[in-house]
Amino acid sequence: MFRSLVLSACLVGIALGLAMTAMQSVGVTPILLAAEQYEVSDAGTDMAHDHASGGHDHHHDEQAWAPADGGERFFYTMMSNIGAGIGFAAILLVLMNHLHARGRLVLMPVTGLVVGVLCYLAVFVAPSLGLPPEIPGASAAALESRQWWWFTTVVMAAAGLGILSLTTGWKRLLGLPLLLVPYSWVPTHEGAMFTHPDPQVVQILSELHREFIWAAGITNLLFWLLAGLLCVLVLQRLTTNPPAPDHQRQAGCP
Protein backbone atom coordinates (compact mmCIF):
# COMPACT_ATOMS: atom_id res chain seq x y z
CA MET A 1 0.00 0.00 0.00
CA PHE A 2 2.86 2.37 0.81
CA ARG A 3 4.35 1.95 -2.67
CA SER A 4 0.95 2.58 -4.25
CA LEU A 5 0.48 5.74 -2.21
CA VAL A 6 3.90 7.07 -3.22
CA LEU A 7 3.25 6.37 -6.90
CA SER A 8 -0.22 7.88 -6.66
CA ALA A 9 1.18 11.01 -4.97
CA CYS A 10 3.62 11.46 -7.86
CA LEU A 11 0.90 11.07 -10.49
CA VAL A 12 -1.57 13.33 -8.70
CA GLY A 13 1.19 15.87 -8.02
CA ILE A 14 2.13 16.02 -11.70
CA ALA A 15 -1.50 16.59 -12.65
CA LEU A 16 -1.88 19.28 -9.99
CA GLY A 17 1.36 20.99 -10.99
CA LEU A 18 0.39 21.13 -14.66
CA ALA A 19 -3.09 22.40 -13.81
CA MET A 20 -1.70 25.04 -11.45
CA THR A 21 0.80 26.22 -14.06
CA ALA A 22 -1.95 26.53 -16.67
CA MET A 23 -4.19 28.50 -14.27
CA GLN A 24 -1.33 30.78 -13.24
CA SER A 25 -0.46 31.47 -16.87
CA VAL A 26 -3.99 32.74 -17.44
CA GLY A 27 -4.79 34.63 -14.25
CA VAL A 28 -1.67 35.25 -12.15
CA THR A 29 1.40 35.62 -14.35
CA PRO A 30 0.04 38.49 -16.49
CA ILE A 31 -0.55 40.55 -13.34
CA LEU A 32 2.95 39.83 -12.04
CA LEU A 33 4.52 40.79 -15.36
CA ALA A 34 2.52 44.02 -15.45
CA ALA A 35 3.59 44.90 -11.90
CA GLU A 36 7.25 44.15 -12.62
CA GLN A 37 7.29 46.91 -15.22
CA TYR A 38 6.89 49.46 -12.42
CA GLU A 39 9.23 47.81 -9.93
CA VAL A 40 11.88 50.22 -8.67
CA SER A 41 15.15 48.97 -7.16
CA ASP A 42 17.13 51.34 -4.97
CA ALA A 43 20.92 50.98 -4.76
CA GLY A 44 21.90 48.86 -1.81
CA THR A 45 18.28 47.97 -1.06
CA ASP A 46 16.84 44.49 -1.45
CA MET A 47 13.23 44.05 -2.51
CA ALA A 48 11.19 41.13 -1.16
CA HIS A 49 7.68 40.17 -2.12
CA ASP A 50 5.33 37.23 -2.08
CA HIS A 51 4.07 35.91 -5.41
CA ALA A 52 1.51 33.84 -3.46
CA SER A 53 1.21 31.18 -6.07
CA GLY A 54 1.82 28.60 -3.43
CA GLY A 55 2.50 30.72 -0.43
CA HIS A 56 6.25 31.06 -1.13
CA ASP A 57 8.29 34.19 -0.61
CA HIS A 58 10.67 35.33 -3.36
CA HIS A 59 13.69 37.46 -2.50
CA HIS A 60 15.06 39.68 -5.25
CA ASP A 61 18.76 40.45 -5.28
CA GLU A 62 20.69 41.98 -8.13
CA GLN A 63 23.46 39.44 -7.51
CA ALA A 64 21.11 36.43 -7.34
CA TRP A 65 20.39 34.14 -10.25
CA ALA A 66 16.88 34.22 -11.68
CA PRO A 67 15.37 32.37 -14.66
CA ALA A 68 15.01 34.38 -17.83
CA ASP A 69 11.56 35.51 -18.89
CA GLY A 70 9.72 33.29 -21.31
CA GLY A 71 10.26 29.56 -21.66
CA GLU A 72 12.89 29.24 -18.92
CA ARG A 73 10.73 31.01 -16.35
CA PHE A 74 7.71 28.93 -17.38
CA PHE A 75 9.70 25.70 -17.04
CA TYR A 76 10.97 26.46 -13.53
CA THR A 77 7.52 27.59 -12.45
CA MET A 78 6.04 24.35 -13.73
CA MET A 79 8.66 22.21 -11.99
CA SER A 80 8.13 24.12 -8.74
CA ASN A 81 4.38 23.60 -8.98
CA ILE A 82 4.82 19.88 -9.68
CA GLY A 83 7.12 19.51 -6.67
CA ALA A 84 4.63 21.30 -4.45
CA GLY A 85 1.79 19.25 -5.91
CA ILE A 86 3.56 15.97 -5.14
CA GLY A 87 4.26 17.05 -1.57
CA PHE A 88 0.71 18.20 -0.89
CA ALA A 89 -0.75 15.11 -2.57
CA ALA A 90 1.42 12.80 -0.45
CA ILE A 91 0.25 14.49 2.76
CA LEU A 92 -3.40 14.35 1.72
CA LEU A 93 -3.27 10.72 0.60
CA VAL A 94 -1.64 9.55 3.82
CA LEU A 95 -4.00 11.50 6.08
CA MET A 96 -7.14 10.62 4.14
CA ASN A 97 -6.18 6.95 3.94
CA HIS A 98 -5.53 6.90 7.70
CA LEU A 99 -8.87 8.54 8.47
CA HIS A 100 -10.69 6.17 6.11
CA ALA A 101 -9.06 3.13 7.74
CA ARG A 102 -10.32 4.36 11.12
CA GLY A 103 -13.82 4.94 9.78
CA ARG A 104 -13.59 8.73 10.13
CA LEU A 105 -13.76 9.59 6.43
CA VAL A 106 -16.00 8.29 3.63
CA LEU A 107 -14.37 8.15 0.21
CA MET A 108 -16.85 10.13 -1.88
CA PRO A 109 -16.24 12.94 -4.40
CA VAL A 110 -18.08 15.42 -2.19
CA THR A 111 -15.77 14.45 0.69
CA GLY A 112 -12.77 15.24 -1.46
CA LEU A 113 -14.20 18.67 -2.26
CA VAL A 114 -14.79 19.34 1.45
CA VAL A 115 -11.20 18.32 2.23
CA GLY A 116 -10.03 20.63 -0.55
CA VAL A 117 -11.95 23.57 0.93
CA LEU A 118 -10.48 22.91 4.39
CA CYS A 119 -6.96 22.80 2.91
CA TYR A 120 -7.67 26.04 1.03
CA LEU A 121 -8.77 27.73 4.24
CA ALA A 122 -5.67 26.54 6.11
CA VAL A 123 -2.99 27.07 3.46
CA PHE A 124 -4.24 30.18 1.66
CA VAL A 125 -7.07 32.00 3.43
CA ALA A 126 -5.69 31.90 6.98
CA PRO A 127 -2.25 33.34 6.07
CA SER A 128 -3.81 35.85 3.66
CA LEU A 129 -5.91 37.37 6.45
CA GLY A 130 -2.68 38.57 8.04
CA LEU A 131 -0.35 38.82 5.06
CA PRO A 132 -2.29 39.27 1.80
CA PRO A 133 -0.58 38.13 -1.41
CA GLU A 134 1.82 40.79 -2.68
CA ILE A 135 2.95 41.86 -6.10
CA PRO A 136 6.42 43.06 -7.18
CA GLY A 137 7.16 46.54 -5.91
CA ALA A 138 5.21 46.15 -2.66
CA SER A 139 6.92 46.91 0.62
CA ALA A 140 6.85 44.12 3.20
CA ALA A 141 8.19 43.12 6.59
CA ALA A 142 11.40 41.11 6.98
CA LEU A 143 11.40 37.93 4.92
CA GLU A 144 12.28 35.51 7.74
CA SER A 145 9.58 36.81 10.07
CA ARG A 146 6.97 36.50 7.33
CA GLN A 147 8.07 32.95 6.50
CA TRP A 148 7.90 31.83 10.13
CA TRP A 149 4.52 33.49 10.63
CA TRP A 150 3.16 31.90 7.45
CA PHE A 151 4.35 28.44 8.48
CA THR A 152 3.03 28.78 12.04
CA THR A 153 -0.32 30.07 10.82
CA VAL A 154 -0.78 27.21 8.35
CA VAL A 155 0.08 24.56 10.95
CA MET A 156 -2.19 26.05 13.59
CA ALA A 157 -5.02 26.65 11.14
CA ALA A 158 -4.80 23.07 9.87
CA ALA A 159 -4.82 21.75 13.44
CA GLY A 160 -7.72 24.00 14.42
CA LEU A 161 -9.83 23.07 11.40
CA GLY A 162 -9.00 19.41 11.96
CA ILE A 163 -10.23 19.56 15.54
CA LEU A 164 -13.41 21.38 14.50
CA SER A 165 -14.08 18.83 11.75
CA LEU A 166 -13.15 15.55 13.44
CA THR A 167 -14.17 16.04 17.07
CA THR A 168 -17.57 16.37 18.71
CA GLY A 169 -19.03 18.15 21.69
CA TRP A 170 -16.96 20.48 23.84
CA LYS A 171 -13.72 19.27 22.29
CA ARG A 172 -14.47 21.33 19.21
CA LEU A 173 -13.91 24.46 21.26
CA LEU A 174 -10.22 23.56 21.46
CA GLY A 175 -9.87 24.35 17.78
CA LEU A 176 -10.93 27.98 18.04
CA PRO A 177 -7.84 29.27 19.92
CA LEU A 178 -5.58 27.65 17.35
CA LEU A 179 -7.33 29.62 14.61
CA LEU A 180 -7.05 32.95 16.45
CA VAL A 181 -3.64 32.85 18.15
CA PRO A 182 -1.52 33.63 15.01
CA TYR A 183 -3.26 36.99 14.59
CA SER A 184 -2.12 38.21 17.99
CA TRP A 185 1.07 39.22 16.19
CA VAL A 186 1.48 39.70 12.45
CA PRO A 187 4.77 40.88 10.89
CA THR A 188 3.59 44.02 9.12
CA HIS A 189 5.48 46.74 7.28
CA GLU A 190 5.21 50.30 8.56
CA GLY A 191 4.50 52.90 5.94
CA ALA A 192 2.99 52.90 2.47
CA MET A 193 2.76 49.61 0.60
CA PHE A 194 4.00 51.15 -2.66
CA THR A 195 6.82 53.70 -2.54
CA HIS A 196 7.02 54.49 -6.25
CA PRO A 197 7.62 58.24 -6.73
CA ASP A 198 4.87 58.55 -9.37
CA PRO A 199 1.35 58.75 -7.82
CA GLN A 200 -0.23 57.42 -11.02
CA VAL A 201 1.98 54.35 -10.88
CA VAL A 202 1.02 53.82 -7.23
CA GLN A 203 -2.64 53.87 -8.28
CA ILE A 204 -1.95 51.34 -11.03
CA LEU A 205 -0.04 49.07 -8.62
CA SER A 206 -2.85 49.29 -6.07
CA GLU A 207 -5.35 48.14 -8.69
CA LEU A 208 -3.04 45.34 -9.82
CA HIS A 209 -2.67 44.31 -6.18
CA ARG A 210 -6.44 43.95 -5.76
CA GLU A 211 -6.66 41.95 -8.98
CA PHE A 212 -3.78 39.76 -7.87
CA ILE A 213 -5.42 38.88 -4.56
CA TRP A 214 -8.56 37.73 -6.37
CA ALA A 215 -6.59 35.84 -9.04
CA ALA A 216 -4.39 34.10 -6.46
CA GLY A 217 -7.42 33.24 -4.33
CA ILE A 218 -9.39 31.70 -7.19
CA THR A 219 -6.34 29.82 -8.52
CA ASN A 220 -5.55 28.33 -5.13
CA LEU A 221 -9.19 27.38 -4.53
CA LEU A 222 -9.33 25.46 -7.81
CA PHE A 223 -6.00 23.83 -7.02
CA TRP A 224 -7.18 22.51 -3.65
CA LEU A 225 -10.59 21.40 -4.92
CA LEU A 226 -8.83 19.40 -7.64
CA ALA A 227 -6.34 18.01 -5.11
CA GLY A 228 -9.06 16.77 -2.77
CA LEU A 229 -11.10 15.27 -5.60
CA LEU A 230 -8.16 13.46 -7.23
CA CYS A 231 -6.97 12.06 -3.89
CA VAL A 232 -10.42 10.65 -3.14
CA LEU A 233 -10.67 9.06 -6.57
CA VAL A 234 -7.22 7.50 -6.17
CA LEU A 235 -8.04 6.12 -2.71
CA GLN A 236 -11.33 4.74 -3.99
CA ARG A 237 -9.42 2.75 -6.58
CA LEU A 238 -6.73 1.61 -4.15
CA THR A 239 -9.21 0.45 -1.50
CA THR A 240 -11.51 -1.24 -4.01
CA ASN A 241 -8.66 -3.05 -5.77
CA PRO A 242 -5.86 -3.25 -3.19
CA PRO A 243 -2.41 -4.16 -4.55
CA ALA A 244 -1.23 -7.71 -4.03
CA PRO A 245 1.42 -8.30 -1.34
CA ASP A 246 5.03 -8.31 -2.50
CA HIS A 247 5.51 -12.05 -1.90
CA GLN A 248 2.50 -12.83 -4.10
CA ARG A 249 3.80 -10.67 -6.93
CA GLN A 250 7.22 -12.28 -6.72
CA ALA A 251 5.65 -15.76 -6.82
CA GLY A 252 3.57 -14.81 -9.85
CA CYS A 253 0.24 -15.12 -8.01
CA PRO A 254 -2.70 -13.14 -9.45
Side-chain angles (χ1 to χ4, degrees):
M1 187 65 173
F2 175 77
R3 182 181 302 176
S4 299
L5 288 176
V6 172
L7 177 60
S8 298
C10 293
L11 296 177
V12 171
I14 292 173
L16 290 175
L18 294 177
M20 186 65 163
T21 303
M23 292 186 291
Q24 287 177 342
S25 298
V26 174
V28 175
T29 302
I31 299 176
L32 291 176
L33 294 177
E36 286 178 354
Q37 297 179 3
Y38 304 101
E39 193 171 16
V40 176
S41 58
D42 298 327
T45 302
D46 293 331
M47 301 292 293
H49 65 271
D50 184 4
H51 285 184
S53 59
H56 302 288
D57 289 322
H58 301 268
H59 183 67
H60 288 261
D61 188 343
E62 294 180 358
Q63 303 296 328
W65 176 88
D69 291 338
E72 185 176 353
R73 184 171 182 173
F74 178 85
F75 173 77
Y76 281 100
T77 299
M78 180 180 64
M79 296 306 297
S80 176
N81 288 335
I82 289 176
I86 292 175
F88 285 131
I91 294 173
L92 280 181
L93 287 172
V94 171
L95 290 177
M96 293 171 69
N97 182 61
H98 176 71
L99 292 174
H100 174 67
R102 298 185 59 182
R104 304 297 299 275
L105 185 140
V106 181
L107 296 178
M108 298 176 57
V110 65
T111 305
L113 296 177
V114 171
V115 171
V117 170
L118 292 175
C119 291
Y120 172 70
L121 293 175
V123 178
F124 182 82
V125 175
S128 296
L129 292 177
L131 294 175
E134 297 170 1
I135 60 174
S139 301
L143 179 62
E144 290 186 0
S145 60
R146 286 184 291 138
Q147 288 178 328
W148 277 109
W149 186 88
W150 184 93
F151 178 78
T152 302
T153 302
V154 170
V155 172
M156 298 187 74
L161 291 172
I163 292 175
L164 291 173
S165 303
L166 299 174
T167 60
T168 58
W170 65 269
K171 294 181 180 179
R172 285 187 172 182
L173 298 177
L174 299 177
L176 294 178
L178 294 176
L179 297 176
L180 300 177
V181 166
Y183 305 104
S184 61
W185 178 80
V186 180
T188 58
H189 171 75
E190 297 182 1
M193 174 172 289
F194 300 106
T195 58
H196 198 284
D198 190 342
Q200 292 183 347
V201 172
V202 172
Q203 184 177 358
I204 294 174
L205 289 173
S206 298
E207 181 62 28
L208 288 173
H209 186 215
R210 287 191 290 269
E211 294 178 4
F212 183 64
I213 292 175
W214 280 102
I218 294 174
T219 300
N220 277 270
L221 175 60
L222 295 176
F223 171 87
W224 284 111
L225 290 176
L226 181 61
L229 182 60
L230 289 180
C231 287
V232 161
L233 296 178
V234 166
L235 289 175
Q236 279 183 338
R237 182 176 180 83
L238 292 179
T239 55
T240 303
N241 301 302
D246 292 338
H247 68 275
Q248 291 187 7
R249 286 198 297 266
Q250 293 174 359
C253 296

